[in-house]
Amino acid sequence: DISYAEGYSTQWDNFFTQIEPITRRMPYMVVPGNHERDWPETGGLWDTGDSGGECGVAFEARAPMPLPGRDKWWYSFDW
């Protein structure tokens, strides 16, 4: 879970403002949790309302992944 915004966009803005001092200096990679994605009958693993209706839209807009495209939320690092 990233911001626990649950449908409140101001919570996303507040969260990213709080972490900005860190993210300006180093990469910050994220992966969606149930509070970013889950909503009844939308194809999520659990049929819950944890995302507050966001269904990943707010997450995608604020946290772009290395590969462009909808639902390309997964990545890995080779060291």
Side-chain angles (χ1 to χ4, degrees), residues 60 65 67-73:
E60 281 188 12
M65 293 291 110
L67 294 175
R70 182 155 175 71
D71 283 338
K72 301 248 188 249
W73 295 344

mmCIF file of all heavy atoms in Angstrom, residues 60 65 67-73:
data_model
loop_
_atom_site.group_PDB
_atom_site.id
_atom_site.type_symbol
_atom_site.label_atom_id
_atom_site.label_comp_id
_atom_site.label_asym_id
_atom_site.label_seq_id
_atom_site.Cartn_x
_atom_site.Cartn_y
_atom_site.Cartn_z
ATOM 1 N N GLU A 60 -1.479 4.855 -11.020
ATOM 2 C CA GLU A 60 -0.837 4.943 -12.330
ATOM 3 C C GLU A 60 -0.458 6.373 -12.691
ATOM 4 O O GLU A 60 0.578 6.613 -13.307
ATOM 5 C CB GLU A 60 -1.748 4.381 -13.410
ATOM 6 C CG GLU A 60 -1.749 2.890 -13.474
ATOM 7 C CD GLU A 60 -2.519 2.371 -14.681
ATOM 8 O OE1 GLU A 60 -2.857 3.159 -15.579
ATOM 9 O OE2 GLU A 60 -2.771 1.165 -14.705
ATOM 10 N N MET A 65 5.676 3.468 -14.130
ATOM 11 C CA MET A 65 6.568 2.305 -14.101
ATOM 12 C C MET A 65 7.557 2.360 -15.265
ATOM 13 O O MET A 65 7.387 3.140 -16.196
ATOM 14 C CB MET A 65 5.736 1.024 -14.192
ATOM 15 C CG MET A 65 4.868 0.760 -12.992
ATOM 16 S SD MET A 65 5.825 0.336 -11.526
ATOM 17 C CE MET A 65 5.584 1.769 -10.512
ATOM 18 N N LEU A 67 8.046 0.356 -17.757
ATOM 19 C CA LEU A 67 7.403 0.035 -19.026
ATOM 20 C C LEU A 67 6.092 0.794 -19.123
ATOM 21 O O LEU A 67 5.248 0.684 -18.236
ATOM 22 C CB LEU A 67 7.124 -1.468 -19.132
ATOM 23 C CG LEU A 67 8.338 -2.371 -19.189
ATOM 24 C CD1 LEU A 67 7.911 -3.833 -19.164
ATOM 25 C CD2 LEU A 67 9.145 -2.085 -20.439
ATOM 26 N N PRO A 68 5.904 1.564 -20.182
ATOM 27 C CA PRO A 68 4.652 2.314 -20.296
ATOM 28 C C PRO A 68 3.478 1.387 -20.576
ATOM 29 O O PRO A 68 3.634 0.323 -21.163
ATOM 30 C CB PRO A 68 4.913 3.244 -21.481
ATOM 31 C CG PRO A 68 5.957 2.560 -22.283
ATOM 32 C CD PRO A 68 6.795 1.783 -21.306
ATOM 33 N N GLY A 69 2.305 1.798 -20.151
ATOM 34 C CA GLY A 69 1.100 1.049 -20.446
ATOM 35 C C GLY A 69 0.297 0.720 -19.207
ATOM 36 O O GLY A 69 0.831 0.573 -18.118
ATOM 37 N N ARG A 70 -0.993 0.614 -19.414
ATOM 38 C CA ARG A 70 -1.900 0.316 -18.309
ATOM 39 C C ARG A 70 -1.626 -1.080 -17.766
ATOM 40 O O ARG A 70 -1.424 -2.028 -18.489
ATOM 41 C CB ARG A 70 -3.332 0.424 -18.808
ATOM 42 C CG ARG A 70 -4.351 0.181 -17.743
ATOM 43 C CD ARG A 70 -5.661 0.865 -18.087
ATOM 44 N NE ARG A 70 -6.689 0.552 -17.127
ATOM 45 C CZ ARG A 70 -6.720 1.006 -15.875
ATOM 46 N NH1 ARG A 70 -5.767 1.794 -15.439
ATOM 47 N NH2 ARG A 70 -7.695 0.680 -15.058
ATOM 48 N N ASP A 71 -1.634 -1.200 -16.464
ATOM 49 C CA ASP A 71 -1.415 -2.474 -15.773
ATOM 50 C C ASP A 71 -0.031 -3.060 -16.004
ATOM 51 O O ASP A 71 0.159 -4.261 -15.919
ATOM 52 C CB ASP A 71 -2.491 -3.500 -16.140
ATOM 53 C CG ASP A 71 -3.803 -3.241 -15.411
ATOM 54 O OD1 ASP A 71 -3.767 -2.572 -14.360
ATOM 55 O OD2 ASP A 71 -4.835 -3.701 -15.885
ATOM 56 N N LYS A 72 0.976 -2.252 -16.272
ATOM 57 C CA LYS A 72 2.363 -2.721 -16.365
ATOM 58 C C LYS A 72 3.062 -2.348 -15.058
ATOM 59 O O LYS A 72 4.038 -1.621 -15.036
ATOM 60 C CB LYS A 72 3.070 -2.070 -17.554
ATOM 61 C CG LYS A 72 2.425 -2.343 -18.874
ATOM 62 C CD LYS A 72 3.314 -3.206 -19.718
ATOM 63 C CE LYS A 72 2.766 -3.319 -21.102
ATOM 64 N NZ LYS A 72 2.279 -4.593 -21.443
ATOM 65 N N TRP A 73 2.515 -2.845 -13.955
ATOM 66 C CA TRP A 73 2.963 -2.458 -12.626
ATOM 67 C C TRP A 73 4.087 -3.313 -12.092
ATOM 68 O O TRP A 73 4.548 -3.094 -10.984
ATOM 69 C CB TRP A 73 1.810 -2.536 -11.656
ATOM 70 C CG TRP A 73 0.702 -1.573 -11.914
ATOM 71 C CD1 TRP A 73 0.755 -0.474 -12.700
ATOM 72 C CD2 TRP A 73 -0.604 -1.609 -11.379
ATOM 73 N NE1 TRP A 73 -0.445 0.174 -12.685
ATOM 74 C CE2 TRP A 73 -1.304 -0.508 -11.873
ATOM 75 C CE3 TRP A 73 -1.257 -2.477 -10.520
ATOM 76 C CZ2 TRP A 73 -2.617 -0.237 -11.546
ATOM 77 C CZ3 TRP A 73 -2.570 -2.209 -10.191
ATOM 78 C CH2 TRP A 73 -3.239 -1.103 -10.697
#
